[in-house]
Amino acid sequence: MTEGNQLGAAISPYLLQHRDNPVHWREWSAEALAEAAREDKPILLSIGYAACHWCHVMAHESFENEAVAAVMNRLFVNIKVDREERPDIDHLYMTALQAMGEQGGWPMTLFLTPTGEPFYGGTYYPPEAAHGRPGFRQLLEAVRNAWDTKRDSLLRSASQMRAHLQTHLSATAAPIDLPTSALAEAAERLSGLIDKEWGGMRGAPKFPNAPYLELLARSGFPNGPAAHREAFLRTLRSLCEGGIYDHVGGGLHRYATDARWLVPHFEKMLPDQAQFLRHLVWGWRATGEPLFRQRAEETVAFLRREMQVEGGGLAASLDADSADETGRMVEGAFYRWREAEVDAALQGLPDIESFKRAYSVTPSGNWDGWTVLDRLGGSGDAAPAAFGEARIRLFQAREARPRPGRDDKILADWNGLAIRALAEAGAAFHLPDALRLAREAFDFVTARMMRADRLHHATRAGRLSGPALASDYGTMIAAAAALFVATLDARFLETGNALAEALERWHGDGEGGHFMTASDAGDMPLRPRGDPDDAVPGATALVVEGLALLAQAGGEARFGERAARAARLAQGRIGPSGMAYPGLLAGFDRLARGSELALFGFRSNPGFEAMEDTVRRAVDLNRIDLVLNDPARLPETLALSAFAPERYPAVTLCRNRTCHPPVFEPQALAALLGDGRSAS
């Protein structure tokens, strides 16, 4: 047995944060499980992530404590996992924890047999008993005592849990079709849960819940129930104006702790930016509101400035905590303001009082004596670009503060989400920098995270982690398709096709479905599928979406057939439930209602802008829009390539396996598309 803490060679910044703990941490591996078997010790598994506030709290209280660490080292083999680096492990044990009756969350604390079967668990434990929860050291002693004196009972419980996990995470079922009414019915139920004043789900804390927001948008646009469109737009406006948005530096925080989006939990996560950016595109296309475009441009700038690493990849997250004026690590210290600090930064500007009214700056603040800048009150100049000089001054003042830590590992799936969003925003807003950022991130992932045509999940400082997960392939396939749609560069389609073949090789189950973990991963008690959604769609939904989008962009029917087969198999596993799986509902929706549009012409053509504007306003989340001047630039497998309009501008639309004749006037185009101007 190797003594001591073994996290010093880890790739994950989260694991590296724990390399100096007196705990004898190991990374998750087959070797760590074998050590537990040799030592005849249960495993203490701790799962968290770098931007997790309560993970830091538990680390400071317990894992940095010599006395607590001595107990951990004596009684357990201790394994630390970054949930972002190993989402398959997190998915497996979060499912187990919830089956034990716990709500779940991070840090996650599980106790396992040496073969990895869970028999007890929870989340954060205080160092001493409090709030009805045992103290951590007390818990350690109790669990080990149970292991020593009641092992047979624990092993039976663990075996039952394994059977439960096998049934719920790895099962196979006959394929079934989703009823055509499923999405509309789920959206209607969801609409009844929406906060009528502030958007989002009623109550607190308040999460953006991006997959559910997409469900509302899919149901509402272009001509669905007006209530669904308005629920989506109301939520999006609140996200743009609330304190959950960083009004100084751009970007969306992870969630709000209150019911009106005012005070965020201050971490910033890459997938939240990606999904927010896509929603801003839909909101702007539907309404033309400058607010949505402004936030999109600010979010792109934030990603370029604070999330891009050397070489072009995009980092995972920014921490919620940073040092305050006393040097103490405090949640939100980088983002909060005193009125005096605002006054000092804006000294000499003529509109200080108007700015303070608009952004809720008062002597008493709006959060524990501090101010979190927001625009929820609606006072002051309502234009989103207002107070530009004031916000620049505050940005410059804030730059002098200690910055939150950055988790600079690059995750293929999160980068795939961001690349797709940047490609779509770049095309919609004509933002060259968004497209450049998308290309740079795509090139980073495909050049630095692929070996022998096989994708890897994470990298940092030139080192690769283990093989990719199904979610990595799903999002990068979608990213490749989106970049082709935005640029018409054929290499993106070629890469997407290669990724789709690698997905089948390493993750296919032989029946058309997929496992989250690769076939040659030897360190998992079982191979889970990725059916459930979280803050982002699950691996299954991402695969279905990616393959379906690739089929639309390249016209290769085999990819659409694979997507449909995977979706039907997943529905067979899930059963009649629909609303609980919004990502899969979205995938079925694309498969059922996907369409392809080509706008032919040059921007110099009279009438081109009017045609483009008509396309923009008809928001259809299942349609891809290609803008080009030469049909020869399209792959021959795409039905749109057969059309050569006799004059420009012209639009051709293919849907329901039928291509309509070209139209040349905005009125005819609006009728063809089912004009979406009623969305606002």
Side-chain angles (χ1 to χ4, degrees):
M1 173 178 133
T2 303
E3 292 290 340
N5 186 314
Q6 297 179 23
L7 299 184
I11 290 175
S12 158
Y14 173 66
L15 299 188
L16 291 173
Q17 289 173 0
H18 294 268
R19 63 185 168 188
D20 296 323
N21 292 169
V23 179
H24 295 173
W25 290 119
R26 280 92 175 90
E27 293 192 66
W28 180 275
S29 65
E31 291 75 17
L33 299 179
E35 179 183 330
R38 287 195 308 271
E39 296 293 319
D40 192 30
K41 288 182 176 180
I43 293 167
L44 190 159
L45 174 64
S46 176
I47 303 178
Y49 57 102
C52 168
H53 171 72
W54 286 102
C55 299
H56 300 328
V57 172
M58 190 167 177
H60 178 67
E61 292 175 341
S62 295
F63 303 148
E64 296 171 11
N65 184 297
E66 294 278 356
V68 174
V71 176
M72 294 173 66
N73 298 336
R74 175 169 53 86
L75 301 181
F76 301 94
V77 169
N78 302 289
I79 299 178
K80 175 64 77 171
V81 167
D82 179 347
R83 70 175 295 256
E84 297 166 359
E85 188 179 26
R86 291 301 303 264
D88 50 347
I89 295 174
D90 179 70
H91 176 42
L92 174 66
Y93 290 109
M94 181 62 74
T95 303
L97 186 63
Q98 291 169 340
M100 294 173 187
E102 294 282 340
Q103 184 174 357
W106 301 275
M108 192 183 345
T109 308
L110 272 296
F111 295 92
L112 320 177
T113 70
T115 54
E117 296 169 339
F119 60 85
Y120 187 77
T123 53
Y124 163 79
Y125 288 98
E128 305 296 336
H131 309 297
R133 300 184 69 81
F136 189 53
R137 194 189 315 193
Q138 173 189 359
L139 175 71
L140 298 173
E141 299 280 6
V143 170
R144 181 54 194 263
N145 180 65
W147 177 258
D148 291 337
T149 62
K150 302 176 182 178
R151 186 176 304 192
D152 288 347
S153 175
L154 293 182
L155 290 176
R156 282 195 299 272
S157 175
S159 178
Q160 292 168 358
M161 178 60 73
R162 180 186 179 91
H164 171 84
L165 294 173
Q166 186 76 41
T167 299
H168 284 78
L169 297 182
S170 299
T172 298
I176 63 173
D177 288 314
L178 186 73
T180 55
S181 61
L183 186 140
E185 291 172 357
E188 184 61 26
R189 292 197 299 274
L190 178 60
S191 179
L193 303 175
I194 295 295
D195 185 325
K196 301 303 182 187
E197 183 175 7
W198 303 109
M201 301 286 197
R202 291 193 293 268
K206 226 174 179 64
F207 287 81
N209 285 318
Y212 284 109
L213 270 185
E214 178 168 341
L215 208 163
L216 286 170
R218 283 184 171 276
S219 175
F221 296 124
N223 291 310
H228 298 179
R229 293 195 299 274
E230 186 50 43
F232 170 79
L233 292 169
R234 183 187 308 116
T235 303
L236 188 59
R237 291 183 186 109
S238 291
L239 292 174
C240 289
E241 300 285 41
I244 190 173
Y245 183 78
D246 179 1
H247 293 270
V248 171
L252 195 72
H253 296 293
R254 184 163 173 251
Y255 67 89
T257 60
D258 60 284
R260 56 188 291 263
W261 307 107
L262 176 61
V263 179
H265 183 52
F266 289 91
E267 62 196 20
K268 289 182 179 179
M269 315 290 289
L270 182 60
D272 294 330
Q273 315 311 315
Q275 294 175 110
F276 180 52
L277 191 54
R278 294 189 71 215
H279 296 175
L280 290 169
V281 170
W282 307 337
W284 177 77
R285 289 184 59 176
T287 67
E289 292 181 24
L291 172 66
F292 297 143
R293 182 184 183 109
Q294 174 97 8
R295 294 293 181 260
E297 292 176 351
E298 291 168 351
T299 299
V300 171
F302 160 72
L303 291 172
R304 168 73 75 185
R305 184 183 65 248
E306 299 189 35
M307 301 298 278
Q308 190 178 38
V309 305
E310 183 179 356
L314 296 168
S317 64
L318 297 180
D319 208 329
D321 298 6
S322 57
D324 67 5
E325 59 276 9
T326 70
R328 187 169 57 97
M329 296 298 289
V330 174
E331 184 180 6
F334 186 70
Y335 302 99
R336 65 189 186 180
W337 297 90
R338 298 283 193 197
E339 183 184 37
E341 293 175 317
V342 174
D343 289 338
L346 304 188
Q347 185 176 7
L349 291 182
D351 54 356
I352 295 177
E353 293 305 317
S354 296
F355 176 90
K356 287 159 64 174
R357 285 194 300 274
Y359 287 90
S360 305
V361 181
T362 65
S364 59
N366 57 15
W367 175 51
D368 292 339
W370 298 87
T371 290
V372 176
L373 299 179
D374 77 274
R375 294 296 302 264
L376 294 169
S379 59
D381 191 334
F387 306 112
E389 177 61 27
R391 287 184 289 111
I392 290 172
R393 293 267 199 101
L394 290 177
F395 177 85
Q396 293 168 341
R398 199 174 74 176
E399 284 296 282
R401 298 175 177 176
R403 298 191 61 81
R406 185 174 75 166
D407 184 337
D408 59 355
K409 68 176 178 290
I410 312 301
L411 301 173
D413 52 357
W414 289 8
N415 271 255
L417 290 171
I419 292 163
R420 179 185 182 182
L422 287 162
E424 293 177 357
F429 297 118
H430 303 307
L431 289 178
D433 194 51
L435 285 176
R436 278 195 299 270
L437 192 55
R439 286 176 178 267
E440 290 163 3
F442 189 88
D443 290 345
F444 181 99
V445 173
T446 54
R448 303 195 187 193
M449 300 181 70
M450 292 187 72
R451 295 290 185 273
D453 297 324
R454 185 176 187 182
L455 194 60
H456 287 252
H457 175 63
T459 187
R460 182 177 178 272
R463 297 172 57 214
L464 288 170
S465 71
L469 304 163
S471 55
D472 298 308
Y473 285 103
T475 63
M476 285 300 296
I477 290 167
L483 271 171
F484 171 74
V485 170
T487 67
L488 297 177
D489 187 334
R491 75 180 177 97
F492 294 120
L493 274 187
E494 294 168 3
T495 303
N497 293 349
L499 289 169
E501 298 304 334
L503 166 71
E504 296 305 315
R505 177 182 178 186
W506 296 107
H507 297 269
D509 65 1
E511 298 181 354
H514 305 87
F515 288 105
M516 190 175 181
T517 309
S519 58
D520 59 347
D523 61 356
M524 292 288 288
L526 56 87
R527 289 176 73 197
R529 300 185 187 273
D531 295 339
D533 297 325
D534 194 5
V536 300
T540 299
L542 293 171
V543 163
V544 170
E545 175 75 5
L547 291 173
L549 189 63
L550 183 65
Q552 285 184 267
E556 299 247 12
R558 60 193 169 117
F559 296 128
E561 291 165 0
R562 290 182 192 177
R565 175 71 176 174
R568 294 180 68 241
L569 284 166
Q571 194 61 42
R573 296 191 298 270
I574 292 166
S577 177
M579 184 174 169
Y581 298 85
L584 191 60
L585 284 174
F588 269 109
D589 192 45
R590 180 172 297 280
L591 288 166
R593 298 198 294 154
S595 61
E596 300 81 48
L597 177 148
L599 168 57
F600 296 103
F602 298 88
R603 297 200 177 278
S604 58
N605 294 139
F608 183 92
E609 289 188 3
M611 294 288 276
E612 185 180 43
D613 187 60
T614 303
V615 171
R616 173 186 69 79
R617 286 185 280 110
V619 181
D620 183 344
L621 276 58
N622 295 308
R623 192 185 72 227
I624 63 169
D625 298 333
L626 299 139
V627 181
L628 66 160
N629 51 45
D630 182 3
R633 298 184 66 187
L634 297 176
E636 293 181 358
T637 48
L638 197 62
L640 290 168
S641 67
F643 289 86
E646 67 267 22
R647 58 189 174 92
Y648 290 160
V651 167
T652 299
L653 177 70
C654 297
R655 63 185 173 197
N656 298 327
R657 296 178 174 83
T658 300
C659 292
H660 297 266
V663 295
F664 305 95
E665 302 297 336
Q667 294 81 2
L669 176 57
L672 178 63
L673 296 177
D675 190 349
R677 280 177 291 186
S678 61
S680 60

